Amino acid sequence: MSAHAHNDSHGHGELQMGHHHVSSSAMFTNVLIVLLILTAVTVIASRIDFGPANMLIAMLIASVKASLVILFFMHMKWDTAINKIVFLSSFLFLSLLFIFTLADQATRRIDHPMHATKAKVSKEWAYPKPAMSEKH
Amino acid sequence: MSHDGHHSVVIPAPGPEFVPHTVAHHFDTPVQEFQSAKLGFWLFLATEILLFGGLFAAYFYYHDLYPETFRVGGQQLDWKLGAVNTSVLLLSSWTMAMGVRSAQTSQKQKTMLFCALTVLGAVIFMVIKFFEYKAKTEHGLFVFPHMFDNYQVDGSSNAGSLAWFTDVHNVMVDETGAPLLHGHLFFAIYVTMTAIHGLHVIIGAGLILWIMKGVAKGRFHAGYYLPVDLVGLYWHLVDLIWIFLFPLLYLVP
């Protein structure tokens, strides 16, 4: 059980689910306002050409927004250590998936046609029409 | 008395409009029941992160291979609708958080109101999504609806329309008008990710309706609000996924 200040009453002693953190409405509203502002920032940032950094910026803003949702809306800030470890470990395993997938891709031969990023191909080549069999 | 000799633990109702909660017999204390359920639910949410994580890995992989396909594909989506839906989900996350808070403080009417507003947000989101899907289907950019359209075995008409990506307006082309390599790929990833996300929105809305049934019966109050808390976590996860989907699909970097 996390040791934190809780402002709810514990009149029933152990006939409760335990220590609850009841957040103030104002806190939730502030988080919502920041999330909406960051959404606008995401749109504005996408309109500016930062080159390859655009992806990094978009993911950075999204990560900040996600952290706000997890910490405050999902109450993770006041949750137990085991729950924090269980949930956040999913991001650790996710990073393994990303690192190995993208490392594989980054170290492949690039002369394979599959890797031609702007190859001009006919529509027939890209979407071959299926062979139509005669009706017997 | 339960079979092992323990008394069933009952959490009393805080007022006449509420009902007491009897702790499941396999738990010794309300705290144990609460913490077990929370741990299990966080574990489930971790698997959800990994489910969507695989799809995000596919996105990043193909985005890196065919950046132009993804850039042009993203331009076919209306970012304004995406931004509206992002705001709707953020607002509904706020109403859900307020709903959980109302349950924690035994405010029955407010819990009901905030849950109803959250369901309203889910409905608005899915209605907007429906019209987006409809337009993309009509433009021949989607996988599912075109699978067997106009398929003639003898090939007498619409031969070749078995190909599900028809791109009737020829939008997936580069600046010279030549078709982009694997133009369907962006939309295949778009529809897979948003459809699985949309399924979560529908399931989430259904769970909130189930919570509202319990609220009406007075089941949730300061002493016991566990199901409201867990459904709230699920709803916030739906929001969490969309926070990443919006910039990646509508504002393709």
Side-chain angles (χ1 to χ4, degrees):
Chain A
M1 195 119 327
S2 61
H4 59 75
H6 43 85
N7 56 11
D8 55 333
S9 64
H10 281 261
H12 298 295
E14 66 174 41
L15 287 181
Q16 293 267 345
M17 297 188 299
H19 294 252
H20 321 143
H21 180 88
V22 182
S23 303
S24 71
S25 310
M27 191 271 280
F28 284 137
T29 308
N30 290 340
V31 171
L32 173 70
I33 291 166
V34 174
L35 286 170
L36 290 172
I37 291 170
L38 285 176
T39 303
V41 172
T42 307
V43 175
I44 294 163
S46 76
R47 294 276 168 271
I48 306 164
D49 187 12
F50 293 109
N54 271 93
M55 176 65 91
L56 203 69
I57 292 165
M59 289 301 96
L60 207 66
I61 299 169
S63 299
V64 171
K65 288 171 74 180
S67 304
L68 288 173
V69 170
I70 293 168
L71 283 175
F72 299 104
F73 282 175
M74 297 172 96
H75 278 111
M76 177 140 273
K77 194 170 187 286
W78 300 277
D79 218 316
T80 58
I82 182 70
N83 288 349
K84 286 177 187 170
I85 291 166
V86 163
F87 187 62
L88 297 181
S89 69
S90 68
F91 295 99
L92 179 75
F93 289 108
L94 200 59
S95 68
L96 290 179
L97 176 68
F98 283 0
I99 288 166
F100 284 105
T101 306
L102 299 178
D104 169 77
Q105 184 184 15
T107 52
R108 269 173 193 271
R109 287 163 58 112
I110 54 159
D111 55 351
H112 189 278
M114 182 187 166
H115 292 262
T117 53
K118 267 193 75 179
K120 306 284 191 293
V121 290
S122 74
K123 205 165 180 174
E124 282 69 33
W125 188 90
Y127 316 107
K129 292 186 194 307
M132 293 297 165
S133 56
E134 288 294 318
K135 209 174 187 177
H136 294 296
Chain B
M1 295 284 275
S2 60
H3 66 282
D4 57 358
H6 287 136
H7 288 280
S8 289
V9 182
V10 176
I11 300 174
E17 73 271 40
F18 296 105
V19 294
H21 169 70
T22 305
V23 174
H25 74 275
H26 49 283
F27 293 113
D28 290 330
T29 64
V31 176
Q32 191 188 42
E33 182 180 59
F34 180 78
Q35 292 302 344
S36 304
K38 284 277 268 199
L39 176 61
F41 207 82
W42 278 114
L43 192 60
F44 163 65
L45 293 186
T47 70
E48 290 276 55
I49 294 291
L50 296 176
L51 162 72
F52 281 99
L55 298 170
F56 279 109
Y59 176 97
F60 288 120
Y61 188 90
Y62 287 114
H63 178 278
D64 199 43
L65 279 181
Y66 314 113
E68 193 64 8
T69 301
F70 274 68
R71 193 183 63 78
V72 177
Q75 286 168 355
Q76 308 311 315
L77 303 177
D78 188 344
W79 71 268
K80 289 181 193 108
L81 290 180
V84 168
N85 258 354
T86 305
S87 308
V88 166
L89 274 195
L90 288 174
L91 276 164
S92 77
S93 239
W94 178 82
T95 55
M96 191 69 232
M98 292 297 287
V100 173
R101 188 186 183 277
S102 305
Q104 286 176 320
T105 51
S106 304
Q107 293 170 285
K108 193 173 169 177
Q109 266 77 43
K110 276 177 90 174
T111 311
M112 198 61 131
L113 174 70
F114 282 123
C115 283
L117 287 173
T118 310
V119 173
L120 180 68
V123 171
I124 293 170
F125 182 91
M126 287 314 291
V127 166
I128 291 176
K129 209 89 215 87
F130 170 78
F131 284 108
E132 286 187 274
Y133 277 2
K134 193 165 172 283
K136 292 293 159 287
T137 305
E138 285 164 4
H139 297 171
L141 297 170
F142 266 10
V143 181
F144 309 127
H146 291 275
M147 245 164 176
F148 303 106
D149 275 7
N150 307 315
Y151 177 58
Q152 306 290 323
V153 177
D154 61 358
S156 61
S157 66
N158 298 312
S161 62
L162 182 64
W164 34 261
F165 180 79
T166 50
D167 189 8
V168 293
H169 298 309
N170 274 314
V171 290
M172 293 306 286
V173 293
D174 63 15
E175 56 273 17
T176 67
L180 285 160
L181 194 59
H182 301 308
H184 64 281
L185 206 50
F186 174 80
F187 291 99
I189 286 179
Y190 166 77
V191 76
T192 306
M193 296 187 92
T194 56
I196 294 177
H197 176 267
L199 187 66
H200 280 76
V201 172
I202 292 166
I203 293 170
L207 288 171
I208 297 166
L209 287 173
W210 169 68
I211 288 297
M212 288 168 75
K213 203 176 142 197
V215 172
K217 289 178 181 165
R219 281 182 58 211
F220 309 125
H221 44 77
Y224 180 75
Y225 58 85
L226 177 61
V228 191
D229 202 10
L230 300 186
V231 170
L233 287 180
Y234 186 85
W235 189 254
H236 296 312
L237 185 97
V238 170
D239 189 26
L240 196 68
I241 302 296
W242 187 261
I243 283 174
F244 287 94
L245 286 180
F246 171 57
L248 287 178
L249 297 172
Y250 291 82
L251 312 165
V252 180

